[in-house]
Amino acid sequence: MREISVSAVDEGQRLDKYLTKYMPEASKSFFYKMMRKKNIVLNGKKAAGMEKLCDGDKIKLFLADETIDKFRNADKYGKNADGSTAKPKFKLNVIFEDDDILVINKPVDMLSQKADKNDVSLVEYISWYLDENKNEEDRGFKGFKAGICNRLDRNTSGLIVAGKSIKGLQCMNEIFRERKLKKFYLCIVKGRLDGFKRIDGYLTKNENHNTVSISREMTEGAFKIVTEYEPLGYGKLQGETYTLLKVHLVTGKSHQIRAHLKSIGHPIVGDSKYGYKDVYKIFRKEFNLRHQILHAWKLEMSDDEIVPEKYKNKVFQAELPKEFLKILGGLGIDKKFLE
């Protein structure tokens, strides 16, 4: 017999889904059969599988240790994409952490989520980070696996929120979905933009080429988008003016900021997909820049009723990457806005 104690991380998860993650090599029909025969019980009582787990619940498995270990196949878990067990050298830049959420400053050149089964993304790094405090027997297993609540392009740096518990993930997903927070980005664009401005448009995605286009009129399959920007400083390079923008992402669609700014004639510096080729070449030569200068800088929580008390009006801020700061200095843009 083996007893499992449910932690707060897994609160709210269905029993059958929890069991599937605990013994991933066993079939669902096996679990249901064992529950019918009371070989698997919840808090000493017969279970059906759809029960929602609570912190402190006890699951008893009246099964042979050999059977449990075979269905867990623990040797398969906790491995890297290449099959090795070594932990990655990269250390997460954690901005905030409590029992329910993590707020992370994602670096450039890291996927938010896997695009291919062999990818190692931020989700995997979060899993490794959380595994560090688990004992050896349970390392590599979680009934609940941490998930992210927002995504950034591979070459966009900045704030990503992850749920460490089901409660945290569901709560933050609702906050993002209902737009009960403000998302601010920093970027450098070609040309001079003066004063605060709110721009809207319609975004259409080309799935075949992973690009989007912006139009002023509604078209079939398009999404209404709204972007606000405010200039924070100006600089020059080879006689051209560049503007540091604080961008408020009012709506949140793929490539919205990059494509929207391009549509008004002010593409982001370093953007090989939506930017100007001549600007890309200049910044690559001067700064060895190979990606867009776009950083998810701040998240400002509201005091809406769906926001937990501990997060109301809370502000998360991610420091700028060294490369971003270097380019600001090279353009002569004042960094007082960071004070």
Side-chain angles (χ1 to χ4, degrees):
M1 189 275 288
R2 187 172 300 182
E3 183 178 281
I4 307 167
S5 295
V6 177
S7 70
V9 169
D10 295 299
E11 190 168 52
Q13 188 164 192
R14 278 177 53 137
L15 172 61
D16 52 2
K17 290 185 177 180
Y18 183 94
L19 291 170
T20 298
K21 292 172 183 175
Y22 190 79
M23 294 187 284
E25 303 298 312
S27 65
K28 285 188 176 180
S29 60
F30 170 80
F31 293 128
Y32 296 138
K33 180 179 179 181
M34 292 300 100
M35 285 186 281
R36 286 196 302 271
K37 296 177 71 173
K38 292 189 178 181
N39 287 336
I40 297 177
V41 298
L42 176 63
N43 296 325
K45 298 179 181 179
K46 185 177 181 179
M50 74 282 295
E51 294 85 356
K52 294 289 184 72
L53 297 176
C54 296
D55 183 17
D57 279 351
K58 305 293 184 184
I59 303 168
K60 288 186 178 180
L61 310 175
F62 293 98
L63 305 169
D65 286 339
E66 294 81 2
T67 300
I68 296 171
D69 292 339
K70 179 184 72 172
F71 285 142
R72 290 197 70 188
N73 199 358
D75 290 341
K76 288 178 61 177
Y77 302 99
K79 293 187 177 181
N80 298 334
D82 61 2
S84 68
T85 56
K87 290 289 188 269
K89 294 181 180 180
F90 174 78
K91 185 177 180 180
L92 284 182
N93 184 354
V94 177
I95 303 299
F96 173 85
E97 180 177 5
D98 65 9
D99 291 339
D100 296 308
I101 69 170
L102 275 173
V103 183
I104 297 151
N105 187 357
K106 183 189 85 68
V108 163
D109 202 30
M110 178 183 286
L111 289 168
S112 296
Q113 291 178 307
K114 284 187 176 186
D116 180 84
K117 66 178 181 179
N118 293 319
D119 289 334
V120 178
S121 70
L122 178 61
V123 172
E124 282 67 56
Y125 281 104
I126 291 170
S127 180
W128 283 317
Y129 172 82
L130 296 176
D131 268 354
E132 288 179 356
N133 295 322
K134 293 176 70 67
N135 61 46
E136 196 63 36
E137 179 182 352
D138 287 332
R139 188 160 290 156
F141 166 74
K142 289 185 183 70
F144 167 74
K145 293 185 179 180
I148 60 174
C149 307
N150 61 310
R151 291 177 291 175
L152 299 176
D153 295 335
R154 180 196 283 269
N155 288 322
T156 297
S157 57
L159 294 171
I160 286 186
V161 179
K164 288 176 58 178
S165 67
I166 287 180
K167 180 176 68 175
L169 182 62
Q170 291 176 340
C171 172
M172 293 307 299
N173 276 339
E174 184 181 15
I175 290 170
F176 274 92
R177 184 174 60 251
E178 300 298 327
R179 301 177 190 167
K180 300 305 180 182
L181 78 171
K182 290 184 177 180
K183 297 174 281 186
F184 293 100
Y185 289 68
L186 293 178
C187 63
I188 300 173
V189 300
K190 183 180 180 181
R192 184 181 181 95
L193 289 167
D194 292 304
F196 171 87
K197 190 168 184 180
R198 179 184 177 97
I199 55 176
D200 55 21
Y202 297 91
L203 179 148
T204 304
K205 187 168 185 178
N206 185 325
E207 298 288 352
N208 294 328
H209 297 91
N210 191 28
T211 58
V212 303
S213 58
I214 309 295
S215 61
R216 293 184 178 181
E217 304 295 333
M218 181 63 179
T219 58
E220 185 178 356
F223 295 93
K224 176 70 180 292
I225 59 169
V226 179
T227 309
E228 296 176 345
Y229 65 76
E230 175 187 357
L232 298 180
Y234 305 96
K236 282 189 175 291
L237 182 65
Q238 297 186 12
E240 292 285 348
T241 298
Y242 295 89
T243 304
L244 170 67
L245 287 183
K246 176 183 177 181
V247 178
H248 176 204
L249 188 63
V250 181
T251 56
K253 296 297 180 182
S254 296
H255 301 184
Q256 177 179 324
I257 295 175
R258 297 163 64 188
H260 215 174
L261 292 173
K262 164 67 179 301
S263 75
I264 62 171
H266 296 279
I268 295 175
V269 164
D271 193 339
S272 61
K273 184 170 288 189
Y274 298 101
Y276 295 151
K277 289 183 179 180
D278 59 337
V279 174
Y280 182 86
K281 289 178 180 178
I282 290 170
F283 277 79
R284 182 166 179 176
K285 181 179 180 181
E286 292 289 330
F287 302 102
N288 195 31
L289 181 64
R290 299 172 183 271
H291 57 84
Q292 67 267 11
I293 291 295
L294 179 62
H295 180 68
W297 185 39
K298 286 185 180 181
L299 291 174
E300 296 184 357
M301 308 294 287
S302 72
D303 60 357
D304 189 86
E305 61 182 11
I306 71 169
V307 179
E309 194 63 38
K310 59 182 176 179
Y311 304 136
K312 287 186 187 298
N313 298 313
K314 195 168 184 64
V315 177
F316 303 110
Q317 181 172 321
E319 63 182 13
L320 271 67
K322 291 180 180 179
E323 192 170 29
F324 200 132
L325 293 171
K326 178 182 177 181
I327 292 173
L328 288 176
L331 294 174
I333 297 177
D334 200 320
K335 303 185 186 71
K336 286 184 177 180
F337 69 93
L338 293 173
E339 296 175 357

